[in-house]
Amino acid sequence: MGVSRDGVKFHVKNTLAKLSLPDRKALRGWFQPRKHSALHRQVTHTMVEANLGPIGQIARSVGNIERAEHWYRKVLGLPHLYTFGNLAFFDCAGTRLMLAQGDSPPSADSVLYFRVPDIRQAHDALRERGVEFTHSPHMIHRHADGTEEWMAFFKDPEDRPLAIMSQVKP
């Protein structure tokens, strides 16, 4: 950007002073929306609780974004929202799945559980698309009212676990 190291230090020092912040760590945590952003215009109220809503996005690392995008789109049939650089976004019934290609191999991420209305039908459809299940559909729990929880596990192209799950009412 054409700014020297000393110039950056000078500007950081001035910024810390203007914001009354003790150090660079505090500056990284500082937040103020831009004046013309929708968030800045949004009326805020003092809140005692955070009132967290449903999960909006889940991130998962991948080794090859093109391969992962193809698999999640064509094999799993997830609606592709958009791709930007090494990021691909999919819609999982209102929760966004972000796949991010990194320099290091994917780590052991959390299992993604996809809710399906009919686990037998979903299992058969995915098997027809080439998905290899590590476990066929099996009941994992029966609630007091008789509702059964069913799951079936499979792996993505990078050998990480995924699952389909379904509740079956009596």
Side-chain angles (χ1 to χ4, degrees):
M1 293 181 66
V3 180
S4 70
R5 184 179 292 241
D6 289 336
V8 171
K9 288 180 183 178
F10 172 80
H11 289 297
V12 169
K13 183 179 176 183
N14 281 341
T15 301
L16 291 172
K18 287 180 182 180
L19 296 174
S20 301
L21 297 173
D23 54 28
R24 293 172 68 135
K25 183 177 180 182
L27 182 59
R28 284 192 297 273
W30 181 82
F31 171 74
Q32 180 67 42
R34 293 184 178 188
K35 246 184 190 174
H36 300 293
S37 73
L39 185 60
H40 181 75
R41 292 188 302 270
Q42 185 180 36
V43 177
T44 58
H45 304 281
T46 305
M47 298 172 81
V48 176
E49 296 181 29
N51 290 334
L52 297 177
I55 292 174
Q57 179 169 295
I58 297 171
R60 190 164 224 199
S61 61
V62 296
N64 181 304
I65 195 66
E66 291 86 13
R67 187 173 103 182
E69 180 184 326
H70 177 271
W71 193 81
Y72 279 83
R73 183 193 309 216
K74 298 294 184 187
V75 177
L76 291 188
L78 293 179
H80 178 252
L81 298 172
Y82 58 93
T83 296
F84 177 74
N86 287 335
L87 304 174
F89 296 85
F90 294 87
D91 179 44
C92 299
T95 300
R96 206 166 46 199
L97 172 62
M98 179 188 80
L99 304 177
Q101 180 175 314
D103 294 334
S104 58
S107 61
D109 290 317
S110 299
V111 178
L112 300 179
Y113 294 85
F114 294 97
R115 194 176 295 278
V116 296
D118 184 329
I119 198 162
R120 286 177 294 192
Q121 185 179 31
H123 178 260
D124 291 345
L126 289 172
R127 282 184 56 206
E128 286 178 19
R129 294 183 198 159
V131 172
E132 292 183 32
F133 281 82
T134 59
H135 298 83
S136 58
H138 56 282
M139 186 176 64
I140 59 159
H141 180 70
R142 181 176 285 120
H143 296 274
D145 69 355
T147 301
E148 298 173 351
E149 298 273 349
W150 286 80
M151 291 187 183
F153 293 86
F154 57 101
K155 301 235 178 188
D156 72 4
E158 295 175 352
D159 208 34
R160 293 170 303 170
L162 297 164
I164 52 176
M165 61 184 286
S166 185
Q167 287 188 330
V168 182
K169 303 280 185 198

